[in-house]
Amino acid sequence: MGNVSSKNFVPRSRKFVRRNQKSFFQHKHDGKNLTSIMSAVKRAQQWATFARTWHLFDATWQNPFDSAQVIIKHLMGLHKPIYHPMNDCGDHVVVMNSRDIALPGDEWRKRVYFHHTTYPGGASWTLAWELHNKNPTLVIKKAVYNGMDGNLQRRHTMQRLHVFPDDKIPEEILKNISNQIRYLRPVPTRLDHISPEEVENYPKIVDYPKQYILR
């Protein structure tokens, strides 16, 4: 056998490790852009989790008590993985068109709101339709507030709820909105909002003659 220098001799196991390390670093270098993209996505997800997002909810023809449960979910941050009862991680919710809410059945005439001034004889009861005529935002605000019953932070949480009776939202609030909460139920189109051309072209079951008299 020829003489083998100790400097040039590399065991087979070490050769195998070096070859694998070379291929690993080559693969890592090729996926450098992919790694940077994934890290940017992770940073965006982390930012979205801890940031306070502004949500828009259109209350047109929506039940305020069912809508309150969805609004509470975003106000308290129940949809976030970092949620804890003592962690203030909720978002802002902007409610528009609160004047057009819809109560089920005879709730407008039968639902009563109680208020007391803390003075003797200061108790008062107000029907839902009377309260809605005084202030169109109070019904949905009270629904959200009462939906967080037992929550010690609800007075502070309500500060992130912004309710407007119509679609006129201030610009400083509108520019912060980045998400919209979808309808709980579809909103039908009023007949007076449909153009005469659409009514005329709508397929008819029976086409009466012009001289036909309905009795």
Side-chain angles (χ1 to χ4, degrees):
M1 286 183 63
N3 294 332
V4 180
S5 174
S6 61
K7 295 182 179 180
N8 298 329
F9 177 75
V10 179
R12 183 177 180 182
S13 59
R14 291 175 61 184
K15 288 182 180 179
F16 178 77
V17 171
R18 287 184 178 179
R19 185 166 58 250
N20 285 351
Q21 285 179 348
K22 183 178 180 181
S23 62
F24 170 76
F25 286 119
Q26 182 67 27
H27 175 72
K28 185 177 180 180
H29 177 73
D30 295 340
K32 184 176 180 180
N33 295 332
L34 180 61
T35 305
S36 62
I37 292 175
M38 292 301 296
S39 62
V41 172
K42 291 295 183 181
R43 287 196 299 269
Q45 289 178 346
Q46 186 181 24
W47 175 86
T49 301
F50 286 91
R52 293 195 189 275
T53 310
W54 289 67
H55 306 274
L56 178 66
F57 181 75
D58 191 354
T60 304
W61 281 64
Q62 304 300 312
N63 187 340
F65 309 108
D66 295 339
S67 303
Q69 300 304 318
V70 180
I71 295 173
I72 290 171
K73 175 183 176 182
H74 291 82
L75 282 178
M76 298 179 59
L78 297 174
H79 61 295
K80 295 185 177 182
I82 61 172
Y83 169 75
H84 187 271
M86 299 304 295
N87 185 16
D88 187 15
C89 59
D91 297 335
H92 291 262
V93 178
V94 180
V95 181
M96 58 183 292
N97 295 326
S98 64
R99 183 181 285 113
D100 301 327
I101 59 175
L103 291 181
D106 296 335
E107 288 288 321
W108 286 116
R109 294 184 299 162
K110 294 182 178 180
R111 179 170 290 272
V112 179
Y113 291 92
F114 174 77
H115 177 72
H116 202 291
T117 62
T118 68
Y119 288 97
S124 63
W125 292 265
T126 307
L127 293 175
W129 67 270
E130 295 177 337
L131 183 67
H132 192 65
N133 288 339
K134 293 179 181 178
N135 191 341
T137 65
L138 285 182
V139 173
I140 195 164
K141 281 184 178 180
K142 288 181 177 293
V144 174
Y145 185 81
N146 295 330
M148 293 187 289
D149 187 21
N151 189 344
L152 299 178
Q153 295 182 348
R154 63 177 177 176
R155 291 185 180 273
H156 305 284
T157 305
M158 289 294 294
Q159 296 178 1
R160 295 194 298 272
L161 177 63
H162 315 274
V163 185
F164 299 95
D166 46 24
D167 56 355
K168 297 178 181 179
I169 303 175
E171 185 64 28
E172 59 269 15
I173 294 180
L174 192 61
K175 66 181 180 181
N176 297 325
I177 297 175
S178 59
N179 183 42
Q180 182 174 2
I181 305 174
R182 66 177 185 177
Y183 288 112
L184 296 180
R185 60 178 182 180
V187 180
T189 305
R190 291 173 43 176
L191 291 178
D192 55 349
H193 292 173
I194 302 176
S195 62
E197 292 77 12
E198 294 183 39
V199 176
E200 187 65 27
N201 297 329
Y202 194 82
K204 302 177 181 179
I205 299 177
V206 178
D207 191 6
Y208 294 101
K210 296 182 179 179
Q211 298 179 353
Y212 187 82
I213 301 176
L214 293 175
R215 296 183 180 179

